[in-house]
Amino acid sequence: MARTPLIAGNWKLNLDHLEATHTVQKLAWLLRDAKHDFADVEVAILPSFTSLRSVQTLVDADRLEVKYGAQDISAHVSGAYTGEVAGSQLAKLGCDFVAVGHSERRQYHAETDEVVASKTKAAFDNGIIPIVCVGEGLDIRKAGDQVSYTLAQVDGALAGLPADRAKDVVIAYEPVWAIGTGEVATPADAQEVCGAIRGRLAELYDAELADGVRVLYGGSVKSSSIAQLMAEPDVDGALVGGASLDPEEFAKIARFRAHQVGL
Ligand code: PEP
């Protein structure tokens, strides 16, 4: 099955809504050849909550092909959860995607696999595609346990998720040692774990479902590294942090096919 690559930009805690609007406009202008640039690739950005309304207005008004979503979602539906943002609120803002279980959420907000599973469910309950982030830290990589560790996170995040939802999930393999460090995983490292994730999906569900799920790589992706990563059979796109804040660089990443020539 042909999987449509997804290049998603995680803006983290950067850009106010004016800067976000400007950045989306510039990105859309750089990727203005919609027929070519969006033919077989989805491009999405994940700004701060405070920018979502402005991004929605811009994308709708100018009918931009850029998709967007949030960086987090509450596991709760509504109620006394100060500071939380519900899936229904994100859906009202037209979010296509939401990142779930990013390593920074796991590390700084103590998100467990159970919480990640609840947030994955909350996303689907509201018609939003979760980008479930998994990946090992440096100590685990050094011990050679990256595959078993990451697969356990996949098991946790997808616990109880029925096949008719799992078929649409996006999984982002993001080794923590590669996030924001400039140390990108080798294509072989990325393929090892992304391939294992697809294998686990086949075990949890079936081979056909696994074949259709997009597995992204994330961790210091740049325009200079994307083509080699995308050449791996089980890497279906990228979750891009720092480099997605620069529209020129992010557009080059989205146009990875242009620099795959001569690989
Ligand atoms: C991320 O935060 O998901 C990420 C991959 O960041 P960076 O590209 O900056 O390593």
Side-chain angles (χ1 to χ4, degrees):
M1 184 191 289
R3 297 179 290 269
T4 304
L6 171 63
I7 305 292
N10 172 15
W11 287 356
K12 310 195 191 199
L13 208 177
N14 294 292
L15 308 187
D16 62 32
H17 72 286
L18 298 174
E19 294 164 326
T21 309
H22 179 73
T23 306
V24 173
Q25 262 167 339
K26 185 144 188 211
L27 179 66
W29 184 80
L30 288 163
L31 296 175
R32 62 194 174 280
D33 181 4
K35 217 173 122 208
H36 183 251
D37 289 325
F38 296 98
D40 287 312
V41 56
E42 278 189 311
V43 181
I45 48 118
L46 311 179
S48 297
F49 290 129
T50 51
S51 298
L52 285 171
R53 177 65 172 156
S54 306
V55 169
Q56 177 193 33
T57 304
L58 176 65
V59 166
D60 284 358
D62 288 350
R63 299 210 173 101
L64 303 182
E65 305 263 358
V66 176
K67 304 206 164 167
Y68 60 90
Q71 299 169 19
D72 188 29
I73 182 172
S74 179
H76 305 287
V77 173
S78 64
Y81 300 102
T82 302
E84 299 263 288
V85 177
S88 58
Q89 295 171 318
L90 298 177
K92 266 272 190 302
L93 291 172
C95 288
D96 303 291
F97 296 102
V98 62
V100 167
H102 191 280
S103 60
E104 288 150 16
R105 301 284 323 164
R106 293 178 190 258
Q107 187 181 349
Y108 305 129
H109 301 272
E111 289 194 4
T112 60
D113 286 337
E114 290 71 33
V115 170
V116 177
S118 304
K119 292 187 170 191
T120 300
K121 179 178 180 303
F124 278 118
D125 284 347
N126 290 284
I128 302 170
I129 301 293
I131 302 175
V132 176
C133 303
V134 293
E136 82 287 352
L138 189 57
D139 49 338
I140 290 162
R141 159 92 21 195
K142 279 188 175 154
D145 293 333
Q146 63 273 12
V147 170
S148 57
Y149 180 91
T150 304
L151 294 186
Q153 287 184 323
V154 171
D155 292 347
L158 304 190
L161 192 71
D164 63 347
R165 290 184 163 192
K167 71 178 177 34
D168 294 322
V169 77
V170 175
I171 300 191
Y173 167 55
E174 298 208 301
V176 180
W177 49 268
I179 295 182
T181 59
E183 197 180 333
V184 63
T186 66
D189 286 342
Q191 171 56 30
E192 179 196 35
V193 184
C194 291
I197 290 171
R198 198 175 310 288
R200 177 54 59 98
L201 289 168
E203 285 164 18
L204 292 173
Y205 300 95
D206 60 51
E208 194 187 334
L209 183 148
D211 200 33
V213 169
R214 291 181 288 186
V215 182
L216 316 183
Y217 166 77
S220 296
V221 170
K222 305 236 171 354
S223 60
S224 54
S225 51
I226 186 68
Q228 283 82 0
L229 288 160
M230 291 302 289
E232 295 295 337
D234 288 301
V235 177
D236 305 316
L239 185 54
V240 184
S244 70
L245 293 166
D246 173 355
E248 307 256 0
E249 176 67 1
F250 192 51
K252 275 195 212 157
I253 293 172
R255 282 190 173 142
F256 64 91
R257 286 204 181 86
H259 29 125
Q260 266 182 331
V261 181
L263 260 185

mmCIF file of all heavy atoms in Angstrom, residues 194-212:
data_model
loop_
_atom_site.group_PDB
_atom_site.id
_atom_site.type_symbol
_atom_site.label_atom_id
_atom_site.label_comp_id
_atom_site.label_asym_id
_atom_site.label_seq_id
_atom_site.Cartn_x
_atom_site.Cartn_y
_atom_site.Cartn_z
ATOM 1 N N CYS A 194 11.750 1.989 13.071
ATOM 2 C CA CYS A 194 10.488 2.211 12.336
ATOM 3 C C CYS A 194 9.968 0.884 11.761
ATOM 4 O O CYS A 194 8.760 0.609 11.788
ATOM 5 C CB CYS A 194 10.683 3.248 11.225
ATOM 6 S SG CYS A 194 10.966 4.920 11.864
ATOM 7 N N GLY A 195 10.877 0.059 11.259
ATOM 8 C CA GLY A 195 10.484 -1.255 10.736
ATOM 9 C C GLY A 195 9.924 -2.141 11.848
ATOM 10 O O GLY A 195 8.933 -2.859 11.655
ATOM 11 N N ALA A 196 10.565 -2.064 13.019
ATOM 12 C CA ALA A 196 10.084 -2.873 14.153
ATOM 13 C C ALA A 196 8.701 -2.398 14.599
ATOM 14 O O ALA A 196 7.845 -3.208 14.984
ATOM 15 C CB ALA A 196 11.080 -2.781 15.310
ATOM 16 N N ILE A 197 8.473 -1.095 14.539
ATOM 17 C CA ILE A 197 7.143 -0.569 14.910
ATOM 18 C C ILE A 197 6.087 -1.124 13.950
ATOM 19 O O ILE A 197 5.019 -1.574 14.364
ATOM 20 C CB ILE A 197 7.151 0.979 14.899
ATOM 21 C CG1 ILE A 197 8.001 1.506 16.059
ATOM 22 C CG2 ILE A 197 5.724 1.535 14.954
ATOM 23 C CD1 ILE A 197 8.271 3.005 16.031
ATOM 24 N N ARG A 198 6.410 -1.140 12.662
ATOM 25 C CA ARG A 198 5.438 -1.681 11.703
ATOM 26 C C ARG A 198 5.202 -3.177 11.976
ATOM 27 O O ARG A 198 4.077 -3.666 11.888
ATOM 28 C CB ARG A 198 5.903 -1.460 10.256
ATOM 29 C CG ARG A 198 4.742 -1.602 9.258
ATOM 30 C CD ARG A 198 5.138 -1.282 7.829
ATOM 31 N NE ARG A 198 5.831 -0.021 7.671
ATOM 32 C CZ ARG A 198 5.257 1.184 7.771
ATOM 33 N NH1 ARG A 198 3.963 1.267 8.004
ATOM 34 N NH2 ARG A 198 5.963 2.295 7.633
ATOM 35 N N GLY A 199 6.274 -3.857 12.311
ATOM 36 C CA GLY A 199 6.136 -5.280 12.646
ATOM 37 C C GLY A 199 5.224 -5.486 13.852
ATOM 38 O O GLY A 199 4.384 -6.391 13.872
ATOM 39 N N ARG A 200 5.374 -4.595 14.852
ATOM 40 C CA ARG A 200 4.525 -4.731 16.038
ATOM 41 C C ARG A 200 3.061 -4.439 15.713
ATOM 42 O O ARG A 200 2.137 -5.091 16.222
ATOM 43 C CB ARG A 200 5.028 -3.795 17.156
ATOM 44 C CG ARG A 200 4.176 -3.792 18.421
ATOM 45 C CD ARG A 200 3.964 -5.199 19.014
ATOM 46 N NE ARG A 200 5.191 -5.848 19.352
ATOM 47 C CZ ARG A 200 5.742 -5.909 20.565
ATOM 48 N NH1 ARG A 200 5.135 -5.351 21.581
ATOM 49 N NH2 ARG A 200 6.869 -6.551 20.766
ATOM 50 N N LEU A 201 2.837 -3.476 14.819
ATOM 51 C CA LEU A 201 1.458 -3.177 14.398
ATOM 52 C C LEU A 201 0.836 -4.393 13.716
ATOM 53 O O LEU A 201 -0.355 -4.682 13.899
ATOM 54 C CB LEU A 201 1.441 -1.968 13.450
ATOM 55 C CG LEU A 201 1.743 -0.613 14.098
ATOM 56 C CD1 LEU A 201 1.988 0.450 13.038
ATOM 57 C CD2 LEU A 201 0.601 -0.189 15.021
ATOM 58 N N ALA A 202 1.655 -5.107 12.957
ATOM 59 C CA ALA A 202 1.146 -6.319 12.295
ATOM 60 C C ALA A 202 0.778 -7.377 13.327
ATOM 61 O O ALA A 202 -0.213 -8.095 13.166
ATOM 62 C CB ALA A 202 2.193 -6.852 11.316
ATOM 63 N N GLU A 203 1.566 -7.444 14.402
ATOM 64 C CA GLU A 203 1.247 -8.416 15.462
ATOM 65 C C GLU A 203 -0.003 -7.990 16.237
ATOM 66 O O GLU A 203 -0.859 -8.814 16.565
ATOM 67 C CB GLU A 203 2.422 -8.519 16.453
ATOM 68 C CG GLU A 203 3.606 -9.307 15.924
ATOM 69 C CD GLU A 203 4.864 -9.058 16.756
ATOM 70 O OE1 GLU A 203 4.763 -8.570 17.899
ATOM 71 O OE2 GLU A 203 5.953 -9.346 16.236
ATOM 72 N N LEU A 204 -0.085 -6.702 16.543
ATOM 73 C CA LEU A 204 -1.217 -6.212 17.344
ATOM 74 C C LEU A 204 -2.519 -6.235 16.547
ATOM 75 O O LEU A 204 -3.594 -6.441 17.094
ATOM 76 C CB LEU A 204 -0.961 -4.777 17.811
ATOM 77 C CG LEU A 204 0.151 -4.548 18.837
ATOM 78 C CD1 LEU A 204 0.384 -3.046 19.056
ATOM 79 C CD2 LEU A 204 -0.197 -5.210 20.168
ATOM 80 N N TYR A 205 -2.401 -5.971 15.220
ATOM 81 C CA TYR A 205 -3.590 -5.906 14.363
ATOM 82 C C TYR A 205 -3.398 -6.926 13.233
ATOM 83 O O TYR A 205 -3.503 -8.112 13.478
ATOM 84 C CB TYR A 205 -3.801 -4.470 13.853
ATOM 85 C CG TYR A 205 -4.006 -3.499 15.003
ATOM 86 C CD1 TYR A 205 -2.934 -2.759 15.526
ATOM 87 C CD2 TYR A 205 -5.257 -3.341 15.601
ATOM 88 C CE1 TYR A 205 -3.119 -1.896 16.609
ATOM 89 C CE2 TYR A 205 -5.446 -2.482 16.678
ATOM 90 C CZ TYR A 205 -4.366 -1.758 17.176
ATOM 91 O OH TYR A 205 -4.559 -0.909 18.239
ATOM 92 N N ASP A 206 -3.085 -6.453 12.046
ATOM 93 C CA ASP A 206 -2.736 -7.387 10.976
ATOM 94 C C ASP A 206 -1.810 -6.694 9.985
ATOM 95 O O ASP A 206 -1.596 -5.473 10.049
ATOM 96 C CB ASP A 206 -3.983 -7.959 10.281
ATOM 97 C CG ASP A 206 -4.838 -6.880 9.653
ATOM 98 O OD1 ASP A 206 -4.289 -6.052 8.901
ATOM 99 O OD2 ASP A 206 -6.060 -6.859 9.911
ATOM 100 N N ALA A 207 -1.275 -7.472 9.057
ATOM 101 C CA ALA A 207 -0.238 -6.959 8.151
ATOM 102 C C ALA A 207 -0.779 -5.846 7.263
ATOM 103 O O ALA A 207 -0.079 -4.869 6.965
ATOM 104 C CB ALA A 207 0.313 -8.098 7.301
ATOM 105 N N GLU A 208 -2.032 -5.979 6.857
ATOM 106 C CA GLU A 208 -2.596 -4.968 5.969
ATOM 107 C C GLU A 208 -2.717 -3.621 6.686
ATOM 108 O O GLU A 208 -2.361 -2.567 6.138
ATOM 109 C CB GLU A 208 -3.968 -5.434 5.477
ATOM 110 C CG GLU A 208 -4.458 -4.618 4.307
ATOM 111 C CD GLU A 208 -5.887 -4.980 3.925
ATOM 112 O OE1 GLU A 208 -6.325 -6.116 4.198
ATOM 113 O OE2 GLU A 208 -6.563 -4.111 3.369
ATOM 114 N N LEU A 209 -3.182 -3.683 7.932
ATOM 115 C CA LEU A 209 -3.293 -2.450 8.706
ATOM 116 C C LEU A 209 -1.905 -1.838 8.901
ATOM 117 O O LEU A 209 -1.687 -0.642 8.683
ATOM 118 C CB LEU A 209 -3.969 -2.736 10.053
ATOM 119 C CG LEU A 209 -4.228 -1.510 10.945
ATOM 120 C CD1 LEU A 209 -5.499 -1.701 11.775
ATOM 121 C CD2 LEU A 209 -3.054 -1.189 11.875
ATOM 122 N N ALA A 210 -0.951 -2.675 9.276
ATOM 123 C CA ALA A 210 0.418 -2.187 9.528
ATOM 124 C C ALA A 210 0.995 -1.533 8.284
ATOM 125 O O ALA A 210 1.702 -0.522 8.361
ATOM 126 C CB ALA A 210 1.294 -3.348 9.980
ATOM 127 N N ASP A 211 0.662 -2.080 7.155
ATOM 128 C CA ASP A 211 1.176 -1.577 5.882
ATOM 129 C C ASP A 211 0.660 -0.178 5.568
ATOM 130 O O ASP A 211 1.293 0.587 4.839
ATOM 131 C CB ASP A 211 0.746 -2.560 4.785
ATOM 132 C CG ASP A 211 1.597 -2.407 3.557
ATOM 133 O OD1 ASP A 211 2.791 -2.094 3.707
ATOM 134 O OD2 ASP A 211 1.059 -2.573 2.446
ATOM 135 N N GLY A 212 -0.482 0.167 6.121
ATOM 136 C CA GLY A 212 -1.082 1.465 5.818
ATOM 137 C C GLY A 212 -0.756 2.565 6.810
ATOM 138 O O GLY A 212 -1.034 3.734 6.553
#
